[in-house]
Structures are given as C-alpha cells and as structure tokens.
Amino acid sequence: MEIKHTALAGTLESSDIQFTLSKGDSGVEINLDSQVEKQFGKQIRKVITDLLAEYGIENVKVRAVDKGALDCTIKARLIAAIQRATDTKNQPNWEVLG
Amino acid sequence: METTINLKDPYYFKQWQQLIQSEGLFIENLDDITETIGIYENDKLIATGSYYENVLKYLAIDPNYQGGNTFNKLVSTLINQLATDNIFHIFVFTKPQYMQSFEYLGFNVIAQNDFSALLETGDYSIDQYIEELPKVEGKKISAIVMNANPFTLGHRYLIEQASQNSDFVYVFVVNQDVSLFKMSERMQLIKEGTKDLTNIKVVNGGQYMVSFVTFPSYFIKSRTDVIDYQTALDAQVFKRIAQALHITKRFVGDEPYSQTTEIYNQTMQKVLPPEVELEILDRKEVGQDIISATKVRQAISDNDLATVKKYVPETTYTFIKENIQTLLRRIHDGN
C-alpha cells in the first residue's frame, strides 16, 4: 500500500504515542523520540516495522513521539495513522486487525 | 475538556485575556490568530493556545496546572487540530525557558538566543529544506534575501554587485503571499530580469527566510523590542542555512525608509560575522531619486506607468503593463 498524504494519529499525553506518517522514497524511515528509547526503543521499532510490513507499506517516513505507550496503544495509533494516510479509513484491514 | 474558543464573544475573550495576561504575554493583534483552543476544568479556563497558519502562539497555563500533563495535552490538542486542516509542519516561537518542554514533545530547535527560541516539528524540517537546495562549488559564495515586490532596478543592481564579487550567488525569495505580487510572479520577474547573469540561482526562501515564522514584524507592525529579538532569531536561522551552503557573505541594500529593515540590518551585523560577512550597499538612484519597490507600488496604484518605468527593468515593466488591471484590483481588494 502507498502513503497518499501526511496523516497524524495519537496524542502527546502520558502513556500515548503520536504518529506522523508521510511520503517517503527510501524504504521505511523511522524517527523515534522516546524517553524509554534505551529500554524499549528496539521493541517499539519492531512493532512499527512489523505492522507496516503487514500493511505492505514499503516507503514511508514515520515520525513517532512516544510518551510511554504500551504495544497495543502503539499498534492502535499506527493503524489509525496508516488508514488516514492511505485513505482507507472505511476499509479496515481485518487480517491485520485479527 | 478541550474546545475551541470564540474570541469574538466578549465572555470568552475576557477569560482568555485574563489567563494570557496573568502569564505575562502581550496580546499584539487578534488578526494574527487563526484558531484558539482552551482546556476547561469545571468551567474554568485552565490552559489556552492559538495558532496562525502553522505557528503556535499565545500558549498559557494557569499556574496551578503547570508542570503536569496539561502542557502536553494543550500542545497535543493544537497539533491534532492543525492536522484536521492538513497542516503537519508546525513552528513555535517561545521563551528559552520553555524550550525544553517543547523538545520533550518532539520539537527540534531551529535557533535560540537569550530572549527567544524557534522550534519546529512534523513532516518537514530545516535540514530537509537545506538538503533540497541546489548545491554549488566555489570559494566565494554569497547570498541575497529579497521580497522583490516587484523586482526593480535597485534589486537588479544589488544582484549585479553580488554577482560580480562572487563565484556564486543564491537569491532567496521571501515566500509569503501577503505582497501585491504573488510569490510565483516575484520569482518569475527576478529570473527574467537576471537571465544574463550566469552565476546566480533564484530559490524559494521557504518558511525559513524572513517569513511569518521567523520574522512576523516584517509584515505586522510591532514594538521595537519585539523587532529586536525577532530579527536576531531570523539572522540566526539565516546563518545556519548559510553555513550549511558555505555562504560567506550576505549582501543587503541600505534602508533609508523603513525602521524595521534598518534594525534588521543592524542585528545582522551583530549576529552574522565573522563566519558570514555582511555587506550593506547604498541604494541605487535614478537621478537624485532612490529606487524603491514601495514607490513602484504607489505608482501602480496611481495607474502611472511612466513612473513605474523609471524604476524597473523592461521585463518587470512589461509584466506590470500587461497585468495592470489585475494589480489595481488587488490593491482595491486590499491584497
């Protein structure tokens, strides 16, 4: 799937994460800002890359500002951002969500 | 609860004004606000923030709620509100003591000094802007920043001087469509009027060169101290871009008429050297008469093409002559 335009999801409040997805042309570029980068940076990046792969998104710029979100929150916010950025808000991808 | 605030309603305006002023912020002009949001607790306004285009401003939080999650909620609400307007690249102009709070929310510092700081976040950045600019080789690379509203013989003289004294010249065009001539027109007229000069490149100044972001008082009348720190920040942003492009000199025209530009030139003299040298050139005159774009616009508004012709190159003159009706209508409509 292709990113059609920039989209945002999530907030900057505690235990949440804010994603901004925009068009890219050199693979998946993740720019992560997190206070728990040292402890969980690798895990957060894995959740992001795995989910993007499931959606078949190959080129994208991901800006993530993490405020200590759990994996399920990260997934939920990223799915929202993906669906907004790909104009598929009304066509949930059940296989990924299942 | 977060909600938008209608500042035209006296009841809400008063609450808002009280909070803003209690936090020591100075309300300059309500016209420079696109939208204002407020966070309420039990019908009491505890935090507020506004934006104009993509610039956050007038952020204030009741002292009893500072240091907690309210700030994050406020900034987050503003970012989400801007996203619904498809605005994702956001600036904030703030006091240095709040810089860290913004950095904590993913903002990056573009420039800072003792009085103010400029930060940005989102899907674009100054580094990306620099990356997109054409790169050149040369020992003496210079720059000029101009609005060219419209391109006059004075602008031509400035570029010519720079061109003769440099291996290469970047001409940054101010990217703000509040001028009589639109960005695309100003850019086109500069390019057409300098076709014979091979060592110049006319580029878009983006949001980083004398824009609403870096330098709002260039467009809005402001108090002198505001102009002071804004010009300082703008000069620092320029310096950052200049150093990335190996620019070692900036040419500017002397400014006998505008106090803002006069202060701007003085500030640059303080901020730019020694890495970037500032050269202030005397204004070009025809006869005893100093050329200025203001005079050209006045002549256009008087439908006086003979006067226009005195101050501008052939290319600009032709454009004005062909588009005089459009220009007169823009002046009439106040654009």
Side-chain angles (χ1 to χ4, degrees):
Chain A
M1 232 189 310
E2 222 179 293
I3 302 294
K4 296 202 168 116
H5 49 81
T6 302
L8 181 123
T11 78
L12 299 167
E13 292 178 59
S14 192
S15 307
D16 203 345
I17 184 167
Q18 186 191 64
F19 280 107
T20 310
L21 301 188
S22 48
K23 279 187 191 171
D25 45 21
S26 40
V28 173
E29 300 167 70
I30 299 174
N31 176 349
L32 172 68
D33 214 318
S34 174
Q35 266 86 51
V36 291
E37 165 84 51
K38 264 191 192 147
Q39 299 89 331
F40 299 110
K42 220 172 142 189
Q43 170 63 16
I44 297 171
R45 281 167 211 274
K46 187 177 173 339
V47 173
I48 296 171
T49 36
D50 285 357
L51 195 58
L52 287 169
E54 281 188 67
Y55 273 90
I57 294 169
E58 285 161 2
N59 291 302
V60 61
K61 283 185 185 154
V62 181
R63 170 108 178 94
V65 183
D66 172 52
K67 291 283 151 231
L70 298 174
D71 284 7
C72 53
T73 310
I74 299 173
K75 274 192 190 166
R77 294 309 197 186
L78 185 54
I79 288 172
I82 291 171
Q83 297 202 329
R84 286 173 187 164
T86 54
D87 285 332
T88 55
K89 269 182 289 194
N90 303 319
Q91 308 139 41
N93 185 340
W94 297 112
E95 276 175 37
V96 175
L97 295 173
Chain B
M1 188 200 57
E2 304 100 61
T3 178
T4 56
I5 301 179
N6 177 9
L7 293 181
K8 294 205 172 76
D9 181 321
Y11 171 79
Y12 292 105
F13 175 77
K14 211 175 154 203
Q15 277 186 336
W16 177 79
Q17 190 187 31
Q18 256 167 16
L19 183 55
I20 291 287
Q21 289 177 343
S22 73
E23 285 306 291
L25 294 175
F26 182 82
I27 300 168
E28 300 228 3
N29 187 349
L30 290 187
D31 290 340
D32 61 7
I33 293 179
T34 311
E35 186 86 81
T36 298
I37 64 138
I39 301 178
Y40 286 85
E41 199 162 282
N42 303 324
D43 287 329
K44 179 175 154 58
L45 183 66
I46 60 161
T48 181
S50 305
Y51 56 84
Y52 181 79
E53 294 184 356
N54 65 341
V55 185
L56 304 187
K57 45 176 57 181
Y58 299 119
L59 278 82
I61 299 174
D62 183 304
N64 297 320
Y65 295 86
Q66 287 176 8
N69 195 30
T70 312
F71 177 76
N72 296 18
K73 191 182 231 169
L74 178 65
V75 176
S76 193
T77 309
L78 286 165
I79 292 177
N80 279 284
Q81 180 75 31
L82 279 156
T84 61
D85 294 337
N86 282 317
I87 295 172
F88 300 98
H89 179 217
I90 298 166
F91 292 95
V92 67
F93 196 56
T94 187
K95 293 179 187 161
Q97 63 259 42
Y98 303 127
M99 212 169 74
Q100 220 180 352
S101 306
F102 281 101
E103 284 186 283
Y104 185 72
L105 296 183
F107 282 73
N108 294 310
V109 179
I110 300 174
Q112 64 169 111
N113 54 41
D114 292 347
F115 314 100
S116 56
L118 178 67
L119 300 96
E120 68 180 337
T121 189
D123 63 347
Y124 196 75
S125 68
I126 188 166
D127 293 327
Q128 206 174 329
Y129 171 72
I130 291 170
E131 207 181 296
E132 286 166 9
L133 288 172
K135 303 294 181 303
V136 296
E137 298 280 329
K139 273 203 189 96
K140 283 161 74 182
I141 303 175
S142 349
I144 303 175
V145 181
M146 57 173 59
N147 194 13
N149 181 34
F151 185 68
T152 65
L153 289 169
H155 296 113
R156 163 79 202 187
Y157 171 76
L158 195 61
I159 296 179
E160 241 171 46
Q161 291 299 311
S163 164
Q164 282 165 17
N165 292 295
S166 322
D167 295 326
F168 192 84
V169 184
Y170 285 98
V171 179
F172 293 98
V173 185
V174 173
N175 180 22
Q176 202 83 57
D177 266 333
V178 291
S179 306
L180 173 59
F181 291 80
K182 293 186 186 314
M183 172 67 189
S184 54
E185 295 162 355
R186 288 182 283 120
M187 198 121 170
Q188 176 203 335
L189 292 177
I190 299 173
K191 281 183 181 162
E192 283 177 2
T194 55
K195 247 188 199 143
D196 54 314
L197 306 172
T198 51
N199 65 340
I200 71 159
K201 200 102 196 158
V202 184
V203 297
N204 191 325
Q207 288 209 279
Y208 301 99
M209 298 276 178
V210 196
S211 76
F212 260 124
V213 177
T214 56
F215 199 176
S217 54
Y218 188 84
F219 304 95
I220 302 160
K221 277 199 171 33
S222 298
R223 295 167 306 149
T224 323
D225 58 331
V226 177
I227 297 173
D228 269 345
Y229 70 70
Q230 282 176 358
T231 51
L233 267 194
D234 181 87
Q236 281 172 304
V237 175
F238 173 79
K239 192 169 178 174
R240 178 164 168 180
I241 293 167
Q243 288 186 282
L245 297 171
H246 309 294
I247 292 166
T248 51
K249 197 167 189 176
R250 174 163 170 178
F251 287 87
V252 293
D254 176 35
E255 188 50 76
Y257 298 128
S258 154
Q259 195 208 5
T260 303
T261 314
E262 184 62 41
I263 297 174
Y264 186 40
N265 285 354
Q266 285 170 8
T267 310
M268 281 196 293
Q269 192 65 267
K270 280 183 227 153
V271 175
L272 299 187
E275 293 88 350
V276 181
E277 189 192 334
L278 183 73
E279 184 156 335
I280 303 177
L281 296 173
D282 284 340
R283 279 299 188 97
K284 174 97 175 142
E285 299 175 7
V286 266
Q288 294 289 307
D289 198 5
I290 291 177
I291 300 169
S292 88
T294 313
K295 288 180 186 168
V296 175
R297 293 195 300 274
Q298 183 57 48
I300 293 171
S301 120
D302 298 339
N303 205 345
D304 175 5
L305 283 171
T307 304
V308 169
K309 201 172 177 142
K310 274 201 311 193
Y311 297 124
V312 302
E314 193 59 40
T315 41
T316 304
Y317 178 70
T318 310
F319 180 88
I320 292 173
K321 205 171 121 193
E322 280 170 6
N323 295 282
I324 187 78
Q325 292 310 326
T326 308
L327 294 169
L328 284 170
R329 184 180 49 75
R330 281 185 202 162
I331 292 170
H332 171 81
D333 293 349
N335 295 319

